[in-house]
Amino acid sequence: MESGRVIQSAGKWYKVRVGNDVMDCRLRGKMRLQKKTATNPVAAGDLVEITRLDDGTGQIERVQPRKNYLPRQATHGRRGEQVLAANIDRAWAVLSIQNPAFRFGFIDRFLVTCEAYDLPAGVIFNKKDLASKNDLNTLDHARSLYQSLGYSVLATSIHQPDSLNSLKEELKDRVSVFIGPSGVGKSSLLNALDPNLDLRTGDISDYSRKGQHTTTAARLVAVQSGGEIVDTPGIRELGLVHISASELSLYFPEMKRLSGDCKYYNCTHSHEPGCRLMEALEQGLIDPERYNSYLQILDSLPESE
């Protein structure tokens, strides 16, 4: 058997980089049956062992243990989780300042997932060149908020090349993943980092003001500026998996520091008397946008129904 890395997963076929070759591979039958908790037992970034077949394709025999992975709730009514990327050094939420405008709720769901799965995380606010004065004020607030919580925050524009310098440094010598809605410019950013990629990009729908899908499968690409990036299809929702209502506050760093000081050990931080987090909110120690995100996520989790 030979070792390789999955660089794209789409349907029943996977592209696997083995040395200098890229091979089309399929899963061994029993592997599809073993991974019942995930809709995709193999994801971009996975390290695998394969057997070369006579027709020039390969068969994935085994997935090596993952260093980490980034999941979301399976979509289209399916149960379990969908693995977006595996074995990554940093996960980035990519949002646009305008066209479409970013939502704090998406960022916070992403960061909760990263905290739960021990993934270093950052936020990229793209299309900086479209920002109005009000947009820049909102951006300054978001940057200050998330940096104070320990997350890397960048503002970029493909029309302002100097704005990409910090991103290039963050990506160098790392395997990263870009996660975000359609239309925020993930593929355009990758093209700006490495024009040889020539990835397809799309326009914003005039009707919905939302992006249109151009990336159809997660794929791991190397960029000239250094590092490798898993570019994922645009997602509108990031459903959380394997996170309970009782532990949710532990994945908000500013809440984790205070949650042990509540009057009740099982405080949900939503209505109980003697809640230290609600006191901190009134004292300006917790950002209202973050607290609103917490309540919305709490309401979406099964235990809070």
Side-chain angles (χ1 to χ4, degrees), residues 175-205:
V175 177
S176 307
V177 60
F178 282 0
I179 303 289
S182 299
V184 299
K186 297 188 300 294
S187 296
S188 295
L189 268 181
L190 287 172
N191 285 338
L193 293 169
D194 188 346
N196 291 330
L197 293 174
D198 194 26
L199 301 177
R200 180 174 168 235
T201 60
D203 297 322
I204 300 298
S205 165

mmCIF file of all heavy atoms in Angstrom, residues 175-205:
data_model
loop_
_atom_site.group_PDB
_atom_site.id
_atom_site.type_symbol
_atom_site.label_atom_id
_atom_site.label_comp_id
_atom_site.label_asym_id
_atom_site.label_seq_id
_atom_site.Cartn_x
_atom_site.Cartn_y
_atom_site.Cartn_z
ATOM 1 N N VAL A 175 -1.505 24.263 6.811
ATOM 2 C CA VAL A 175 -2.679 23.779 6.091
ATOM 3 C C VAL A 175 -3.879 24.481 6.720
ATOM 4 O O VAL A 175 -4.137 24.341 7.918
ATOM 5 C CB VAL A 175 -2.837 22.256 6.202
ATOM 6 C CG1 VAL A 175 -4.121 21.802 5.494
ATOM 7 C CG2 VAL A 175 -1.626 21.546 5.607
ATOM 8 N N SER A 176 -4.586 25.266 5.918
ATOM 9 C CA SER A 176 -5.697 26.068 6.415
ATOM 10 C C SER A 176 -6.988 25.648 5.713
ATOM 11 O O SER A 176 -6.965 24.927 4.713
ATOM 12 C CB SER A 176 -5.440 27.557 6.182
ATOM 13 O OG SER A 176 -4.184 27.956 6.715
ATOM 14 N N VAL A 177 -8.116 26.107 6.229
ATOM 15 C CA VAL A 177 -9.390 25.875 5.579
ATOM 16 C C VAL A 177 -10.172 27.173 5.563
ATOM 17 O O VAL A 177 -10.144 27.935 6.534
ATOM 18 C CB VAL A 177 -10.201 24.745 6.267
ATOM 19 C CG1 VAL A 177 -10.497 25.064 7.722
ATOM 20 C CG2 VAL A 177 -11.502 24.468 5.510
ATOM 21 N N PHE A 178 -10.829 27.457 4.441
ATOM 22 C CA PHE A 178 -11.698 28.621 4.294
ATOM 23 C C PHE A 178 -13.153 28.146 4.375
ATOM 24 O O PHE A 178 -13.567 27.289 3.588
ATOM 25 C CB PHE A 178 -11.481 29.309 2.940
ATOM 26 C CG PHE A 178 -10.244 30.173 2.852
ATOM 27 C CD1 PHE A 178 -9.384 30.311 3.925
ATOM 28 C CD2 PHE A 178 -9.941 30.841 1.677
ATOM 29 C CE1 PHE A 178 -8.247 31.110 3.835
ATOM 30 C CE2 PHE A 178 -8.816 31.648 1.568
ATOM 31 C CZ PHE A 178 -7.961 31.776 2.665
ATOM 32 N N ILE A 179 -13.913 28.741 5.296
ATOM 33 C CA ILE A 179 -15.334 28.417 5.461
ATOM 34 C C ILE A 179 -16.132 29.706 5.370
ATOM 35 O O ILE A 179 -15.787 30.703 6.012
ATOM 36 C CB ILE A 179 -15.612 27.770 6.844
ATOM 37 C CG1 ILE A 179 -14.765 26.510 7.033
ATOM 38 C CG2 ILE A 179 -17.098 27.466 7.010
ATOM 39 C CD1 ILE A 179 -15.187 25.357 6.185
ATOM 40 N N GLY A 180 -17.197 29.714 4.585
ATOM 41 C CA GLY A 180 -18.021 30.913 4.520
ATOM 42 C C GLY A 180 -19.161 30.753 3.540
ATOM 43 O O GLY A 180 -19.215 29.789 2.774
ATOM 44 N N PRO A 181 -20.098 31.703 3.543
ATOM 45 C CA PRO A 181 -21.221 31.659 2.606
ATOM 46 C C PRO A 181 -20.750 31.846 1.171
ATOM 47 O O PRO A 181 -19.633 32.298 0.903
ATOM 48 C CB PRO A 181 -22.098 32.840 3.056
ATOM 49 C CG PRO A 181 -21.629 33.182 4.438
ATOM 50 C CD PRO A 181 -20.179 32.839 4.480
ATOM 51 N N SER A 182 -21.620 31.516 0.238
ATOM 52 C CA SER A 182 -21.325 31.768 -1.176
ATOM 53 C C SER A 182 -21.257 33.273 -1.426
ATOM 54 O O SER A 182 -21.974 34.056 -0.795
ATOM 55 C CB SER A 182 -22.417 31.163 -2.062
ATOM 56 O OG SER A 182 -22.485 29.767 -1.895
ATOM 57 N N GLY A 183 -20.377 33.661 -2.326
ATOM 58 C CA GLY A 183 -20.318 35.053 -2.739
ATOM 59 C C GLY A 183 -19.404 35.947 -1.940
ATOM 60 O O GLY A 183 -19.280 37.129 -2.246
ATOM 61 N N VAL A 184 -18.743 35.403 -0.909
ATOM 62 C CA VAL A 184 -17.883 36.258 -0.078
ATOM 63 C C VAL A 184 -16.493 36.428 -0.685
ATOM 64 O O VAL A 184 -15.703 37.234 -0.202
ATOM 65 C CB VAL A 184 -17.775 35.712 1.361
ATOM 66 C CG1 VAL A 184 -19.137 35.680 2.021
ATOM 67 C CG2 VAL A 184 -17.110 34.338 1.389
ATOM 68 N N GLY A 185 -16.188 35.649 -1.710
ATOM 69 C CA GLY A 185 -14.917 35.844 -2.405
ATOM 70 C C GLY A 185 -13.812 34.881 -2.031
ATOM 71 O O GLY A 185 -12.633 35.205 -2.198
ATOM 72 N N LYS A 186 -14.161 33.680 -1.542
ATOM 73 C CA LYS A 186 -13.118 32.720 -1.177
ATOM 74 C C LYS A 186 -12.255 32.343 -2.379
ATOM 75 O O LYS A 186 -11.022 32.356 -2.310
ATOM 76 C CB LYS A 186 -13.757 31.462 -0.559
ATOM 77 C CG LYS A 186 -14.515 31.699 0.727
ATOM 78 C CD LYS A 186 -14.952 30.408 1.397
ATOM 79 C CE LYS A 186 -15.860 29.561 0.534
ATOM 80 N NZ LYS A 186 -17.168 30.216 0.275
ATOM 81 N N SER A 187 -12.913 31.994 -3.489
ATOM 82 C CA SER A 187 -12.149 31.594 -4.676
ATOM 83 C C SER A 187 -11.367 32.772 -5.253
ATOM 84 O O SER A 187 -10.244 32.600 -5.739
ATOM 85 C CB SER A 187 -13.090 31.014 -5.731
ATOM 86 O OG SER A 187 -13.690 29.815 -5.258
ATOM 87 N N SER A 188 -11.943 33.983 -5.199
ATOM 88 C CA SER A 188 -11.223 35.165 -5.690
ATOM 89 C C SER A 188 -9.978 35.427 -4.850
ATOM 90 O O SER A 188 -8.926 35.817 -5.384
ATOM 91 C CB SER A 188 -12.142 36.396 -5.665
ATOM 92 O OG SER A 188 -13.214 36.247 -6.566
ATOM 93 N N LEU A 189 -10.077 35.221 -3.549
ATOM 94 C CA LEU A 189 -8.908 35.378 -2.683
ATOM 95 C C LEU A 189 -7.818 34.387 -3.068
ATOM 96 O O LEU A 189 -6.634 34.743 -3.141
ATOM 97 C CB LEU A 189 -9.311 35.159 -1.217
ATOM 98 C CG LEU A 189 -9.719 36.364 -0.386
ATOM 99 C CD1 LEU A 189 -10.062 35.928 1.039
ATOM 100 C CD2 LEU A 189 -8.638 37.430 -0.365
ATOM 101 N N LEU A 190 -8.215 33.144 -3.310
ATOM 102 C CA LEU A 190 -7.231 32.133 -3.692
ATOM 103 C C LEU A 190 -6.577 32.487 -5.031
ATOM 104 O O LEU A 190 -5.366 32.319 -5.197
ATOM 105 C CB LEU A 190 -7.906 30.761 -3.770
ATOM 106 C CG LEU A 190 -8.269 30.136 -2.430
ATOM 107 C CD1 LEU A 190 -9.108 28.879 -2.620
ATOM 108 C CD2 LEU A 190 -7.012 29.800 -1.636
ATOM 109 N N ASN A 191 -7.367 32.984 -5.973
ATOM 110 C CA ASN A 191 -6.795 33.407 -7.252
ATOM 111 C C ASN A 191 -5.811 34.555 -7.070
ATOM 112 O O ASN A 191 -4.799 34.643 -7.775
ATOM 113 C CB ASN A 191 -7.902 33.831 -8.211
ATOM 114 C CG ASN A 191 -8.661 32.646 -8.796
ATOM 115 O OD1 ASN A 191 -8.148 31.531 -8.834
ATOM 116 N ND2 ASN A 191 -9.880 32.884 -9.241
ATOM 117 N N ALA A 192 -6.116 35.453 -6.128
ATOM 118 C CA ALA A 192 -5.210 36.573 -5.861
ATOM 119 C C ALA A 192 -3.914 36.090 -5.215
ATOM 120 O O ALA A 192 -2.835 36.642 -5.469
ATOM 121 C CB ALA A 192 -5.899 37.600 -4.958
ATOM 122 N N LEU A 193 -4.009 35.053 -4.387
ATOM 123 C CA LEU A 193 -2.816 34.494 -3.753
ATOM 124 C C LEU A 193 -1.978 33.709 -4.753
ATOM 125 O O LEU A 193 -0.756 33.638 -4.638
ATOM 126 C CB LEU A 193 -3.228 33.589 -2.587
ATOM 127 C CG LEU A 193 -3.883 34.283 -1.390
ATOM 128 C CD1 LEU A 193 -4.480 33.249 -0.438
ATOM 129 C CD2 LEU A 193 -2.891 35.171 -0.654
ATOM 130 N N ASP A 194 -2.664 33.110 -5.732
ATOM 131 C CA ASP A 194 -1.968 32.308 -6.735
ATOM 132 C C ASP A 194 -2.765 32.349 -8.036
ATOM 133 O O ASP A 194 -3.674 31.545 -8.247
ATOM 134 C CB ASP A 194 -1.821 30.866 -6.253
ATOM 135 C CG ASP A 194 -0.941 30.037 -7.177
ATOM 136 O OD1 ASP A 194 -0.671 30.485 -8.308
ATOM 137 O OD2 ASP A 194 -0.514 28.939 -6.768
ATOM 138 N N PRO A 195 -2.442 33.288 -8.949
ATOM 139 C CA PRO A 195 -3.194 33.427 -10.206
ATOM 140 C C PRO A 195 -3.190 32.161 -11.053
ATOM 141 O O PRO A 195 -4.091 31.968 -11.880
ATOM 142 C CB PRO A 195 -2.469 34.569 -10.923
ATOM 143 C CG PRO A 195 -1.802 35.346 -9.827
ATOM 144 C CD PRO A 195 -1.409 34.332 -8.802
ATOM 145 N N ASN A 196 -2.213 31.288 -10.866
ATOM 146 C CA ASN A 196 -2.153 30.063 -11.658
ATOM 147 C C ASN A 196 -3.303 29.107 -11.338
ATOM 148 O O ASN A 196 -3.595 28.197 -12.122
ATOM 149 C CB ASN A 196 -0.823 29.337 -11.439
ATOM 150 C CG ASN A 196 0.345 30.088 -12.035
ATOM 151 O OD1 ASN A 196 0.194 30.801 -13.026
ATOM 152 N ND2 ASN A 196 1.520 29.947 -11.425
ATOM 153 N N LEU A 197 -3.950 29.304 -10.192
ATOM 154 C CA LEU A 197 -5.062 28.425 -9.833
ATOM 155 C C LEU A 197 -6.237 28.619 -10.781
ATOM 156 O O LEU A 197 -6.933 27.671 -11.123
ATOM 157 C CB LEU A 197 -5.507 28.693 -8.389
ATOM 158 C CG LEU A 197 -4.508 28.308 -7.300
ATOM 159 C CD1 LEU A 197 -5.026 28.755 -5.928
ATOM 160 C CD2 LEU A 197 -4.276 26.801 -7.298
ATOM 161 N N ASP A 198 -6.499 29.860 -11.156
ATOM 162 C CA ASP A 198 -7.569 30.181 -12.108
ATOM 163 C C ASP A 198 -8.890 29.516 -11.710
ATOM 164 O O ASP A 198 -9.558 28.880 -12.529
ATOM 165 C CB ASP A 198 -7.169 29.759 -13.529
ATOM 166 C CG ASP A 198 -8.073 30.371 -14.598
ATOM 167 O OD1 ASP A 198 -8.654 31.446 -14.331
ATOM 168 O OD2 ASP A 198 -8.205 29.768 -15.671
ATOM 169 N N LEU A 199 -9.266 29.673 -10.434
ATOM 170 C CA LEU A 199 -10.509 29.079 -9.954
ATOM 171 C C LEU A 199 -11.708 29.861 -10.449
ATOM 172 O O LEU A 199 -11.661 31.087 -10.590
ATOM 173 C CB LEU A 199 -10.515 29.042 -8.416
ATOM 174 C CG LEU A 199 -9.373 28.258 -7.768
ATOM 175 C CD1 LEU A 199 -9.458 28.374 -6.255
ATOM 176 C CD2 LEU A 199 -9.416 26.792 -8.191
ATOM 177 N N ARG A 200 -12.808 29.174 -10.682
ATOM 178 C CA ARG A 200 -14.018 29.824 -11.161
ATOM 179 C C ARG A 200 -14.618 30.681 -10.057
ATOM 180 O O ARG A 200 -14.675 30.277 -8.899
ATOM 181 C CB ARG A 200 -15.031 28.758 -11.586
ATOM 182 C CG ARG A 200 -16.348 29.323 -12.110
ATOM 183 C CD ARG A 200 -17.233 28.210 -12.632
ATOM 184 N NE ARG A 200 -18.583 28.725 -12.860
ATOM 185 C CZ ARG A 200 -19.671 28.189 -12.324
ATOM 186 N NH1 ARG A 200 -19.580 27.165 -11.515
ATOM 187 N NH2 ARG A 200 -20.856 28.690 -12.597
ATOM 188 N N THR A 201 -15.055 31.875 -10.417
ATOM 189 C CA THR A 201 -15.703 32.766 -9.458
ATOM 190 C C THR A 201 -17.069 33.150 -10.000
ATOM 191 O O THR A 201 -17.345 33.041 -11.199
ATOM 192 C CB THR A 201 -14.875 34.039 -9.214
ATOM 193 O OG1 THR A 201 -14.715 34.733 -10.452
ATOM 194 C CG2 THR A 201 -13.498 33.690 -8.651
ATOM 195 N N GLY A 202 -17.946 33.615 -9.098
ATOM 196 C CA GLY A 202 -19.313 33.933 -9.502
ATOM 197 C C GLY A 202 -19.740 35.306 -9.056
ATOM 198 O O GLY A 202 -19.057 35.991 -8.287
ATOM 199 N N ASP A 203 -20.892 35.727 -9.546
ATOM 200 C CA ASP A 203 -21.450 37.023 -9.203
ATOM 201 C C ASP A 203 -22.492 36.880 -8.101
ATOM 202 O O ASP A 203 -22.957 35.783 -7.797
ATOM 203 C CB ASP A 203 -22.118 37.666 -10.428
ATOM 204 C CG ASP A 203 -21.108 37.933 -11.539
ATOM 205 O OD1 ASP A 203 -19.975 38.319 -11.200
ATOM 206 O OD2 ASP A 203 -21.462 37.747 -12.716
ATOM 207 N N ILE A 204 -22.872 38.018 -7.533
ATOM 208 C CA ILE A 204 -23.930 38.046 -6.538
ATOM 209 C C ILE A 204 -25.272 38.149 -7.250
ATOM 210 O O ILE A 204 -25.441 38.926 -8.191
ATOM 211 C CB ILE A 204 -23.757 39.251 -5.594
ATOM 212 C CG1 ILE A 204 -22.410 39.158 -4.877
ATOM 213 C CG2 ILE A 204 -24.884 39.324 -4.579
ATOM 214 C CD1 ILE A 204 -22.246 37.955 -4.001
ATOM 215 N N SER A 205 -26.228 37.362 -6.806
ATOM 216 C CA SER A 205 -27.563 37.413 -7.391
ATOM 217 C C SER A 205 -28.218 38.754 -7.086
ATOM 218 O O SER A 205 -28.284 39.171 -5.929
ATOM 219 C CB SER A 205 -28.425 36.281 -6.814
ATOM 220 O OG SER A 205 -29.782 36.499 -7.082
#
